[in-house]
Amino acid sequence: FFFFKQKTAYEISRSDWSSDVCSSDLFPSHDTGPIVEKNVGSRKFLLFYLLCGIGAGIIHLYFLTQDLPMIGASGALYGVLLYFTFLKPNEKLYIFFIPIGIKAKYLIPVLLSIEIYLATSSGNDGIGHWAHIGGAIIGTLLYLINDKK
């Protein structure tokens, strides 16, 4: 029972309150989420977000080599970031402690490249790099599907 519950509820779980306060997840969702939501609509955004999280979890589980807990929504947020990048490629985004805005079309591919590098080279560092990549893939696919409509 725990395995099923944990594998289906990880997207809304956090390890402790400090991960919510200090998490880098909060910042991209605050900046990019409302723009994506306005583009797709509130109901479709909820479905989009959940599909990105589910896809992230599936890809993470596929590449997972050890039985580690899955918590957080960063995979779904990578989906939002990729969707945002397609919508507003020249929009400047800011990273903690870097006072210069970087265009989404440059920043997000660099972040995704770092995730790919870490996923393929770092072994198991306890971070869901494959979930981040999976969320980005699902977000891209959903953008392409929605863009054709």
Side-chain angles (χ1 to χ4, degrees), residues 79-95:
V80 173
L81 286 173
L82 263 289
Y83 200 104
F84 174 83
T85 301
F86 287 113
L87 286 177
K88 304 269 186 182
N90 293 314
E91 188 78 21
K92 289 186 177 181
L93 298 173
Y94 294 85
I95 300 177

Side-chain angles (χ1 to χ4, degrees), residues 50-76:
L50 292 173
L51 288 173
C52 286
I54 291 166
I58 290 169
I59 291 173
H60 176 75
L61 285 174
Y62 180 78
F63 287 101
L64 190 65
T65 58
Q66 295 179 348
D67 189 23
L68 295 173
M70 294 189 318
I71 56 171
S74 54

Side-chain angles (χ1 to χ4, degrees), residues 7-148:
K7 300 303 183 204
T8 56
Y10 79 94
E11 194 174 351
I12 57 172
S13 303
R14 303 302 284 177
S15 59
D16 58 20
W17 70 270
S18 64
S19 63
D20 287 332
V21 174
C22 302
S23 173
S24 61
D25 289 355
L26 291 175
F27 299 103
S29 63
H30 180 267
D31 293 339
T32 61
I35 293 169
V36 174
E37 181 182 8
K38 187 175 182 178
N39 180 265
V40 300
S42 295
R43 289 185 183 186
K44 283 177 98 175
F45 179 76
L46 177 61
L47 179 62
F48 162 78
Y49 186 83
L50 292 173
L51 288 173
C52 286
I54 291 166
I58 290 169
I59 291 173
H60 176 75
L61 285 174
Y62 180 78
F63 287 101
L64 190 65
T65 58
Q66 295 179 348
D67 189 23
L68 295 173
M70 294 189 318
I71 56 171
S74 54
L77 290 173
Y78 263 85
V80 173
L81 286 173
L82 263 289
Y83 200 104
F84 174 83
T85 301
F86 287 113
L87 286 177
K88 304 269 186 182
N90 293 314
E91 188 78 21
K92 289 186 177 181
L93 298 173
Y94 294 85
I95 300 177
F96 242 173
F97 305 116
I98 299 177
I100 301 167
I102 304 169
K103 289 182 179 182
K105 67 182 177 184
Y106 302 125
L107 177 62
I108 304 308
V110 167
L111 293 177
L112 191 56
S113 297
I114 291 169
E115 289 297 331
I116 292 168
Y117 171 76
L118 291 173
T120 58
S121 67
S122 67
N124 198 353
D125 60 2
I127 298 173
H129 300 294
W130 286 111
H132 301 160
I133 295 164
I137 291 168
I138 301 301
T140 300
L141 291 173
L142 291 173
Y143 172 80
L144 294 172
I145 291 167
N146 193 48
D147 191 45
K148 289 182 181 181

